[in-house]
Amino acid sequence: MKNMKKIGKQKSDDVTQMSRKGAIARSRSIDHQLNEEREKREKEIQLLILGGGGSGKTTFMKQLRLHYGDKFPDEERRLWRPHVFQNVVDAFHRIISNMEVLGEEIKSDEGKASAQELNRLYPKMCYQRLLALENGIHASPKKNRDQLLLDLPSEVIKLQKDPGVKASYATRNRYPLRLSEAEEYFLNDFERICAPSYLPTIKDILFLRKPTVGVQEMCLTINSLNYRVIDVAGQKSQRNKWIHFFEGVTAVIFFVSLSGFNEMLEEDSTMNNLRDSLQTFQEMTHNQYLTKTDVMLFLNKHDLFMEKMKRFRLAETFPEFRGHNTPDDALGFIKDEFYRRAPPGKSLYTHVSCAINVDLMKTIIENVLQILVDINLRRTGLM
Ligand SMILES: Nc1nc2c(ncn2[C@@H]2O[C@H](COP(=O)(O)OP(=O)(O)OP(=O)(O)O)[C@@H](O)[C@H]2O)c(=O)[nH]1
Ligand SMILES: [Mg+2]
């Protein structure tokens, strides 16, 4: 009996020792994995893209994919179709709502039925719905929403020909109907995108407006260096998530919509877009986690800015601007306003950009990559 006990004890000692050994081995393996992961991260260049909603962050990501990534293969381009239709549906929904303001009516019975159908389905297809789905608030699958969007062009085609709808569309860009660049672009090319064989082109993908929900990350390897690029959602309610990505980033790109100098925020009609950018830039550059981080300032939508400067006065929304109302003076003023908000001595690189322009962005991205390589060498003490 005594012996049995002894044998039993011996066995249990062996088992304990084996499980201890196993635990040590597992712990070593986890340590090893963590070290590998840390080393990988240390070697990785992390680029965080910040800026207000609609300033061009995701369009920049698309350009990165175009020049250094998979260039949007056909199978994936097909998946962009519902998003193109979303832009069209948003535009039509606003055009129809605007008819009430104008006292216009849809003339044909067919058109009336289509408008009713659009109004009925719209709550299931709009951006708020997408947000709810992404946040898991509704259990119904996203596929339903995409299918609704894909089925809609036939309804919208019937509406497009109606004289009342045409009258409303003619007042676009006059209060209260404001269509975005993307909406105008797709409405102008309506026949093409409604064709059953329609496959979005690269230009369509660059033009379309799909506000980012949450965070998107993209990993790229360029000249044997690994890059992790992080694109966040820019609308005000989403900005509290930015801080989670501040620690350890190699550099930040801050996007500004230059054409926002006389626009209000999409999500807050009391806040001037450019003033909001200035304020956000100031807060971001003074954040304790980013004091040593280099910042690239992208003054984007230069094309729209040039157009706008022909028609509007910067001093109307920025009375502190005392220069001539020329693009050069205005741009100089805007740049100074940003520089003056950064902490003294902060490294700032500025690019004036048009994120939908493929050739221009190729050059700008090459420049950005060179800057990132230099920053990385400096950080790792090799320069
Ligand atoms: N004309 C013009 N349009 C641009 C430019 N940059 C971006 N856009 C358009 O502006 C819209 C918004 O661009 P996004 O890249 O989605 O903006 P974002 O900063 O990612 O916005 P959020 O995801 O809401 O934070 C899209 O329809 C783009 O095609 C530009 O330089 N010129
Ligand atoms: Mg985005």
Side-chain angles (χ1 to χ4, degrees):
M1 192 71 182
K2 232 181 178 182
N3 236 0
M4 285 237 330
K5 253 192 186 166
K6 244 189 183 172
I7 290 168
K9 189 168 179 306
Q10 178 76 42
K11 245 189 186 170
S12 84
D13 280 355
D14 286 353
V15 171
T16 319
Q17 207 163 343
M18 264 163 65
S19 67
R20 206 175 290 144
K21 273 188 186 163
I24 291 170
R26 270 198 304 281
S27 155
R28 280 204 185 124
S29 149
I30 292 171
D31 281 353
H32 183 69
Q33 274 176 23
L34 285 175
N35 280 343
E36 266 190 354
E37 188 65 24
R38 193 165 41 83
E39 268 177 30
K40 206 174 122 202
R41 289 237 167 206
E42 273 172 8
K43 277 188 203 144
E44 191 176 73
I45 296 182
Q46 280 195 45
L47 179 61
L48 176 62
I49 312 192
L50 303 177
S55 54
K57 301 180 292 298
T58 303
T59 315
F60 176 80
M61 295 285 271
K62 291 175 187 168
Q63 292 276 6
L64 271 177
R65 269 188 77 180
L66 194 57
H67 296 293
Y68 292 95
D70 63 6
K71 302 182 172 33
F72 299 97
D74 280 7
E75 318 83 73
E76 210 226 278
R77 276 201 271 150
R78 206 173 302 281
L79 302 177
W80 287 87
R81 285 172 69 222
H83 303 307
V84 170
F85 294 144
Q86 170 85 68
N87 280 219
V88 173
V89 164
D90 282 344
F92 265 96
H93 190 252
R94 290 215 304 289
I95 292 169
I96 293 169
S97 306
N98 185 51
M99 290 174 70
E100 272 177 41
V101 182
L102 298 174
E104 288 282 350
E105 270 189 1
I106 294 181
K107 306 286 187 291
S108 68
D109 287 345
E110 201 187 28
K112 277 182 192 148
S114 293
Q116 256 180 13
E117 189 62 357
L118 179 66
N119 283 333
R120 187 179 71 80
L121 293 174
Y122 189 69
K124 294 188 179 168
M125 299 188 284
C126 60
Y127 172 58
Q128 278 70 21
R129 171 74 168 174
L130 181 66
L131 260 180
L133 286 174
E134 301 270 344
N135 290 333
I137 295 169
H138 294 274
S140 57
K142 181 172 171 287
K143 206 172 119 222
N144 289 349
R145 181 180 172 276
D146 287 357
Q147 196 52 54
L148 282 175
L149 283 163
L150 289 173
D151 290 343
L152 215 82
S154 56
E155 293 297 337
V156 182
I157 282 177
K158 291 177 209 157
L159 282 172
Q160 198 206 13
K161 302 203 167 82
D162 189 275
V165 174
K166 279 187 179 165
S168 174
Y169 178 61
T171 70
R172 67 192 179 280
N173 303 332
R174 231 186 297 146
Y175 184 81
L177 182 64
R178 224 188 107 227
L179 296 184
S180 71
E181 275 280 294
E183 289 166 346
E184 280 256 19
Y185 168 78
F186 290 120
L187 288 182
N188 282 335
D189 228 351
F190 199 57
E191 301 295 324
R192 177 175 66 88
I193 66 166
C194 285
S197 58
Y198 168 60
L199 188 66
T201 63
I202 297 291
K203 190 172 175 194
D204 295 347
I205 293 173
L206 288 172
F207 260 81
L208 74 81
R209 170 76 176 125
K210 177 176 177 277
T212 304
V213 182
V215 178
Q216 286 187 58
E217 291 195 18
M218 180 166 64
C219 292
L220 295 168
T221 304
I222 306 167
N223 295 334
S224 48
L225 273 175
N226 296 327
Y227 292 80
R228 180 183 298 269
V229 192
I230 306 158
D231 171 28
V232 297
Q235 297 209 348
K236 269 181 158 182
S237 63
Q238 305 281 314
R239 294 184 198 159
N240 53 357
K241 294 178 190 144
W242 292 6
I243 196 161
H244 303 301
F245 299 92
F246 284 179
E247 224 177 334
V249 290
T250 315
V252 168
I253 293 189
F254 189 86
F255 262 84
V256 176
S257 167
L258 278 175
S259 63
F261 72 82
N262 68 349
E263 287 171 18
M264 295 303 179
L265 291 181
E266 284 172 345
E267 69 274 25
D268 176 2
S269 58
T270 63
M271 185 65 180
N272 175 283
N273 187 311
L274 184 56
R275 281 198 194 280
D276 172 69
S277 268
L278 287 162
Q279 202 176 306
T280 315
F281 178 78
Q282 179 161 13
E283 286 164 15
M284 184 272 296
T285 49
H286 282 82
N287 186 286
Q288 52 167 329
Y289 294 111
L290 295 179
T291 45
K292 291 196 180 123
T293 308
D294 295 70
V295 175
M296 297 183 219
L297 178 64
F298 267 62
L299 300 175
N300 191 40
K301 300 201 174 179
H302 187 238
D303 55 330
L304 300 179
F305 172 76
M306 293 299 281
E307 275 304 309
K308 270 200 176 172
M309 285 307 294
K310 294 178 195 157
R311 293 180 288 130
F312 299 101
R313 299 185 57 76
L314 177 60
E316 267 173 39
T317 40
F318 282 78
E320 59 271 43
F321 171 59
R322 303 252 181 260
H324 298 291
N325 200 58
T326 58
D328 279 355
D329 273 17
L331 194 59
F333 165 80
I334 294 172
K335 249 189 224 174
D336 287 348
E337 288 297 292
F338 277 98
Y339 276 62
R340 148 175 120 64
R341 279 166 175 81
K346 181 97 192 150
S347 299
L348 284 178
Y349 306 82
T350 307
H351 292 280
V352 176
S353 63
C354 170
I356 50 170
N357 182 327
V358 175
D359 294 334
L360 175 74
M361 289 313 287
K362 183 172 188 288
T363 313
I364 290 184
I365 289 174
E366 277 168 9
N367 208 310
V368 167
L369 293 176
Q370 190 50 53
I371 294 172
L372 286 174
V373 169
D374 291 348
I375 294 174
N376 197 43
L377 286 174
R378 205 180 63 217
R379 280 185 147 208
T380 47
L382 295 171
M383 202 167 98

